Amino acid sequence: MNIKRTLQHLVIVIYIAATASAFSYTLFRYKVPGVPDKLRRWSYGMMAPYQTYRTSNEMLTAHGLQSDGTWVPISLDEYLPFLRGERGMRSYLLTFWAQGEEVLEQKYKELAQVTKRLEGDRGREWEDVRLTLEKWPMSPAGYEYLRHDPFISVTKLHD
């Protein structure tokens, strides 16, 4: 009987510690010592499901380099055949974020190489393929309404 009560108290203490750790990380980005990362991430995800809400639109774009030196947009619809929200999440390569910027850049470079190969398989040969992330403000007028200069910014994702 005492063991059961002790285990219940231990579970409650662990839950409170995980919640406090997530709260601390959510508000201050402070990692409480002694709380395992896996437990903090689990609690953090449950505490604030809308933390990653964005106030801007973003889209992964690809461009192919022609032999004359011009860059031409490549449609990624064939390679990322998902709805816009899921496509956006997949294009962030979230599984590699925790491994650092160098790994993430390498994975985008690999994605560009795969895109180049797949384009070649479809008869569209490119000298090179580059991936960029376009970002522009949201607008009540529609998703792509402000997707132009001076509102848009473009970030190169790999060398």
Side-chain angles (χ1 to χ4, degrees), residues 16-17 24 26 29 32 35 43-44 46 56 70 77 80 82 91 97 103 107-108 115 124-125 130 133 147:
I16 290 171
S24 168
T26 299
R29 294 295 189 248
V32 175
V35 176
S43 183
Y44 175 70
M46 288 182 55
S56 59
T70 58
D77 292 345
L80 297 170
F82 312 105
S91 67
W97 276 31
V103 171
K107 293 302 177 182
Y108 276 119
T115 302
R124 299 181 291 252
E125 298 290 334
R130 71 175 177 199
L133 185 68
R147 189 179 179 191

Side-chain angles (χ1 to χ4, degrees), residues 47-73:
M47 176 172 278
Y50 301 105
Q51 302 184 63
T52 56
Y53 175 77
R54 299 175 188 272
T55 58
S56 59
N57 295 311
E58 294 180 345
M59 182 181 285
L60 176 69
T61 59
H63 292 81
L65 179 62
Q66 294 181 327
S67 56
D68 66 0
T70 58
W71 290 95
V72 178

Side-chain angles (χ1 to χ4, degrees), residues 3-65:
I3 292 176
K4 185 177 179 181
R5 185 172 213 91
T6 302
L7 286 176
Q8 288 173 340
H9 286 242
L10 182 60
V11 167
I12 291 170
V13 167
I14 290 171
Y15 179 79
I16 290 171
T19 303
S21 172
F23 186 72
S24 168
Y25 188 71
T26 299
L27 294 180
F28 310 111
R29 294 295 189 248
Y30 174 75
K31 295 179 181 180
V32 175
V35 176
D37 282 342
K38 198 171 198 174
L39 183 60
R40 182 180 46 258
R41 281 193 304 268
W42 169 79
S43 183
Y44 175 70
M46 288 182 55
M47 176 172 278
Y50 301 105
Q51 302 184 63
T52 56
Y53 175 77
R54 299 175 188 272
T55 58
S56 59
N57 295 311
E58 294 180 345
M59 182 181 285
L60 176 69
T61 59
H63 292 81
L65 179 62

